[in-house]
Amino acid sequence: MTDTALDTPQTDSAAAVAPGGRSLSISDSAARRVAVLRQMEGDDALMLRVTVSGGGCSGFQYGFGFDKTVNEDDHVFEHLGTSVVTDDVSLDLLNGSIIDFVEDLMGASFQIKNPNATASCGCGSSFAV
């Protein structure tokens, strides 16, 4: 199923709402970085897949990868021509989150600002709810 991003030019991210009122936002920075990575891969059909799985130092961990397939239980969120796909179970844990791409002195990475996380590890790649 495909969910459409809201056009909100006054912010630097756009939120989309999936069935059940769950939402996921993609920052402008994350959308631009995915576009650059797609161009480097030479495939404009690639979508950023974000998953949540058990493990990591805090209980759950985020996973990022590229995918061309939309499964039956997936939700697709779009912003600035970039598509992010996540499965229904992961969306439950990501609800209300913002996917961002951050570049600083420590490096560059995709980061998730998750309001559902009650704790996270120092690197930000795992969390607890």
Side-chain angles (χ1 to χ4, degrees):
M1 74 187 66
T2 301
D3 305 304
T4 326
L6 302 175
D7 195 10
T8 54
Q10 69 274 17
T11 65
D12 108 312
S13 66
V17 179
R22 297 171 296 170
S23 67
L24 185 63
S25 297
I26 306 160
S27 74
D28 291 355
S29 177
R32 286 191 300 267
R33 183 61 180 171
V34 170
V36 167
L37 293 171
R38 278 192 334 230
Q39 185 178 21
M40 290 171 61
E41 290 291 322
D43 191 344
D44 287 338
L46 293 173
M47 299 174 287
L48 179 67
R49 179 171 288 279
V50 180
T51 58
V52 176
S53 59
C57 35
S58 295
F60 292 101
Q61 62 187 359
Y62 300 114
F64 299 94
F66 279 118
D67 203 341
K68 286 184 176 182
T69 306
V70 176
N71 301 315
E72 193 172 304
D73 70 331
D74 283 342
H75 300 275
V76 179
F77 299 91
E78 297 179 2
H79 179 54
L80 299 178
T82 294
S83 296
V84 174
V85 63
T86 190
D87 62 272
D88 199 55
V89 173
S90 293
L91 183 56
D92 283 340
L93 295 165
L94 291 168
N95 183 30
S97 294
I98 299 171
I99 299 171
D100 197 10
F101 182 76
V102 177
E103 293 181 88
D104 58 24
L105 292 175
M106 299 298 290
S109 63
F110 285 101
Q111 296 180 0
I112 296 182
K113 297 171 185 165
N114 189 339
N116 306 304
T118 58
S120 63
C121 66
C123 67
S125 65
S126 69
F127 68 102
V129 290

